[in-house]
Amino acid sequence: MINISIDGKPVSVQEGTTILDAAKQIHIDIPTLCYLKLEKMNYLNQVASCRVCVVEVEGRRNLAPACATPVHEGMKIITNSRRVLSSRRKNLELIISNHPFECLLCAKSTDCELQRMVWEFGINTQRFDGERSHHEIDKSSGALKRDPNKCIMCRRCETMCNEVQTVGALTAFGRGFSTVVSPAESMPVANSNCVYCGQCISVCPTAALTGVGYIHETWRALFDPKKTVVVQVAPAVRVAIGEEFGLPVGQDVTGRLVAGLRHLGFNAIFDTTFGADLTIIEEGKEIIERLESNQKLPILTSCCPGWINFLNYHFPNLNYMVSSCKSPQQMTGAITKTYYAEKMGINPEDIIVVSVMPCIAKKYEAALPGEETYGIRDVDYVITTRELAKMFKEGSVDLRHIQDEDFDNPLGKSSGAGVIFGGSGGVLEAALRTVYEKMTGNELKDVNFTAIRGMNGIREAEIKIGEREIKVAVISGLGNTRKVLEKIESGEAYYDIIEIMACPGGCVNGGGQPYAEEREEIIKMRIQGLYEIDRTKQVRKSHNNPAIQELYQSFLGEAGSQKAHEILHIHGLMVDKKKVVEEADFKIFNV
Ligand code: SF4
Ligand code: SF4
Ligand code: SF4
């Protein structure tokens, strides 16, 4: 232990502790802007670039950044001297001197860490007014929006993209005043190797990185009397959107969400968890076929487009292992424009499907070539949880004071298995509930596969199905995915089934979810919220969902039938990004 004093208070801390962490132990909160630590995700951004956390250290001439300075025996630290406070303020004033003052119009207004800090510091005049840098805004991908004019060079995004996700899509580019964080050579995001996991958005303190918005497109569709506008809601949205209205973290607001969507004027409100159940029927069939033939193992799940993009760039040789199932979003869209359209006698071209997703990769996915059925796009617009919260506020929906309503049929019924898709481990657990019963012919009494639940980025288990022990893994986060896939490639590891999600913790932590400060704790609570919904559902296995049974009986035939393949599967995953970008039908919109 090392003995130091902070603002005259003695404190003993372990060797290697930073001044910032030592101060926290005695409840002295030193402000930080560029610094960010997410322990469970192995994320640490400690570049000390903003200098907002500087402190005085006795015997040291220059002020020290608290986030990156380790303590030493006898250190005497002052965190609130006149010199410290005026230096912090000046550093912040210099940061904003090169920042556009457009808070009223900014997508991140009220959620911006820079805005909040300026307010907390009581800065209300612009002391340093001079030349500002001007950069093009990049919305080329239709998913990730870059506004380098709002970048404060904190490098949080780089750390996330390069070290946690190991994608390597972002780097500092340029010199001096014109330096920005961008894809290599300042190329448009659409031409880069970005996989649209959206994790950089979640850590960016300003609106330099956000999602491309589709709110205006959605309103326009809703006000078009010639269109039937159908909305689907992903599982992770229902345990997160309440946060935007001050409701407890992880609270299930499914019924209120449905009521709110009906109030906005959607003609039919469907549940993506229905698509999740459908995924399990189709993917379950693939799993059983591959286990029985011992071929193309491990089977890798395909419902996360961020992960699929990563696979296509970094491990294209393992493409053959991926399930050919479309994601639940795309399945729900495809069934809406075929089965539902036929049932209701509506021309599928007159249906607009809007998805509410926790994710920006889903925006990209919806526009991809191949994500269509009989020549019609499965999904037209994707809005995030944050965007829907804004639409609710604009459309006078207050989730605190609205009565529950039910989803519409026939795509509104789901099992608990479909609901847990929203958290890491849920897809595999849902698949096991069905695969077990289909393979053994026996009823699965305890549906809770607790061995694969939890927060670790890599989880493994051996599950007995009949006479067979199958080895499964659940991975979330792309750095973790890389580690496991490299072991599979080298023959060091073997599995039968692997669930992979690009976002650490799964979709509950998607790049389109409400911003969260205590992020890791919040992810846990959102996942718990999903398990609680599952626990109280009457139907907890996808194959027991009566709406799914009816769909097969009256429309699709057998699981894996030719018709099911035409509508619900995608073949030949794209590797050539440039080709994907050229062919994609991105709907770029100004928000
Ligand atoms: S969306 Fe993901 S892959 Fe793309 S730049 Fe951000 S962190 Fe990197
Ligand atoms: S884009 Fe955002 S996270 Fe990245 S360096 Fe700029 S301000 Fe920081
Ligand atoms: S884990 Fe979920 S939210 Fe994250 S990229 Fe994948 S599908 Fe989107």
Side-chain angles (χ1 to χ4, degrees), residues 12-272:
S12 293
V13 293
Q14 274 186 338
E15 198 177 349
T17 305
T18 60
I19 296 175
L20 182 73
D21 286 338
K24 263 192 203 133
Q25 290 190 21
I26 50 168
H27 307 289
I28 293 178
D29 241 339
I30 297 172
T32 54
L33 190 53
C34 64
Y35 174 84
L36 187 66
K37 187 178 187 180
L38 299 164
E39 235 167 278
K40 293 197 185 78
M41 289 184 208
N42 278 330
Y43 175 97
L44 178 63
N45 192 56
Q46 199 180 25
V47 295
S49 66
C50 73
R51 309 309 259 201
V52 162
C53 68
V54 287
V55 293
E56 268 192 87
V57 175
E58 196 180 88
R60 183 172 160 160
R61 210 166 135 237
N62 296 329
L63 297 178
C67 71
T69 309
V71 295
H72 58 73
E73 185 61 38
M75 204 180 212
K76 288 198 170 80
I77 300 148
I78 303 292
T79 71
N80 60 357
S81 66
R82 182 175 175 175
R83 186 176 167 216
V84 164
L85 297 188
S86 92
S87 176
R88 285 182 190 161
R89 167 181 279 261
K90 190 171 75 201
N91 292 338
L92 196 53
E93 287 178 299
L94 285 168
I95 290 170
I96 60 170
S97 72
N98 189 27
H99 197 83
F101 280 73
E102 52 179 57
C103 293
L104 270 179
L105 306 173
C106 181
K108 207 151 174 198
S109 196
T110 72
D111 276 320
C112 172
E113 291 178 45
L114 179 65
Q115 187 187 48
R116 189 166 61 240
M117 188 163 280
V118 168
W119 182 81
E120 281 172 1
F121 275 46
I123 297 172
N124 48 21
T125 52
Q126 199 187 338
R127 197 150 57 110
F128 305 113
D129 194 11
E131 195 188 338
R132 293 196 191 159
S133 39
H134 292 285
H135 303 275
E136 289 288 309
I137 294 173
D138 177 5
K139 292 189 281 180
S140 56
S141 64
L144 179 70
K145 178 178 167 187
R146 269 187 65 240
D147 182 352
N149 302 303
K150 293 177 181 167
C151 176
I152 59 167
M153 291 303 291
C154 69
R155 321 291 279 265
R156 285 186 186 181
C157 55
E158 258 184 285
T159 304
M160 179 55 84
C161 188
N162 304 341
E163 289 173 27
V164 177
Q165 298 295 65
T166 67
V167 173
L170 294 173
T171 183
F173 182 76
R175 287 279 177 278
F177 193 56
S178 46
T179 313
V180 285
V181 172
S182 83
E185 303 297 328
S186 216
M187 68 172 73
V189 173
N191 296 359
S192 75
N193 61 340
C194 169
V195 303
Y196 310 114
C197 67
Q199 288 301 301
C200 53
I201 296 176
S202 306
V203 292
C204 180
T206 69
L209 293 168
T210 52
V212 175
Y214 293 90
I215 290 178
H216 297 306
E217 292 282 3
T218 305
W219 279 124
R220 195 175 296 161
L222 282 168
F223 292 131
D224 184 344
K226 294 196 252 6
K227 299 289 180 194
T228 299
V229 190
V230 174
V231 66
Q232 57 165 314
V233 190
V237 177
R238 66 205 64 196
V239 287
I241 195 165
E243 292 162 31
E244 295 278 355
F245 293 83
L247 290 166
V249 177
Q251 178 173 336
D252 168 26
V253 295
T254 310
R256 304 183 199 198
L257 189 52
V258 174
L261 289 164
R262 200 160 280 132
H263 187 85
L264 293 189
F266 287 98
N267 300 103
I269 298 146
F270 292 155
D271 198 348
T272 313

Side-chain angles (χ1 to χ4, degrees), residues 165 195-199 236 303-307 327 357-362 365 421-422 476-477 500-513:
Q165 298 295 65
V195 303
Y196 310 114
C197 67
Q199 288 301 301
C303 39
C304 166
W307 134 244
S327 70
M357 295 285 138
C359 171
I360 64 154
K362 296 280 181 194
E365 176 187 51
F421 260 60
S476 71
I500 305 178
M501 294 287 159
C503 298
C507 301
V508 286
N509 184 30
Q513 291 283 66

Side-chain angles (χ1 to χ4, degrees), residues 165 167 194-198 283 298-316 318-323 359 361-362 364-365 475-482 484-485 488 498-503 573:
Q165 298 295 65
V167 173
C194 169
V195 303
Y196 310 114
C197 67
E283 200 166 86
I299 181 166
L300 311 176
T301 56
S302 60
C303 39
C304 166
W307 134 244
I308 295 298
N309 287 337
F310 181 77
L311 172 87
N312 286 342
Y313 305 141
H314 297 275
F315 295 89
L318 302 185
N319 254 341
Y320 72 96
M321 291 178 176
V322 180
S323 155
C359 171
K362 296 280 181 194
Y364 177 80
E365 176 187 51
I475 311 171
S476 71
L478 294 172
N480 293 328
T481 303
R482 181 183 291 282
V484 173
L485 293 189
I488 290 172
I498 309 183
E499 177 205 295
I500 305 178
M501 294 287 159
C503 298
L573 295 163

Side-chain angles (χ1 to χ4, degrees), residues 367-369 377 574 578-586:
L368 282 175
R377 300 221 65 78
M574 289 291 195
K578 205 156 174 289
K579 193 160 172 273
V580 170
V581 171
E582 278 163 12
E583 290 182 15
D585 177 21
F586 294 123

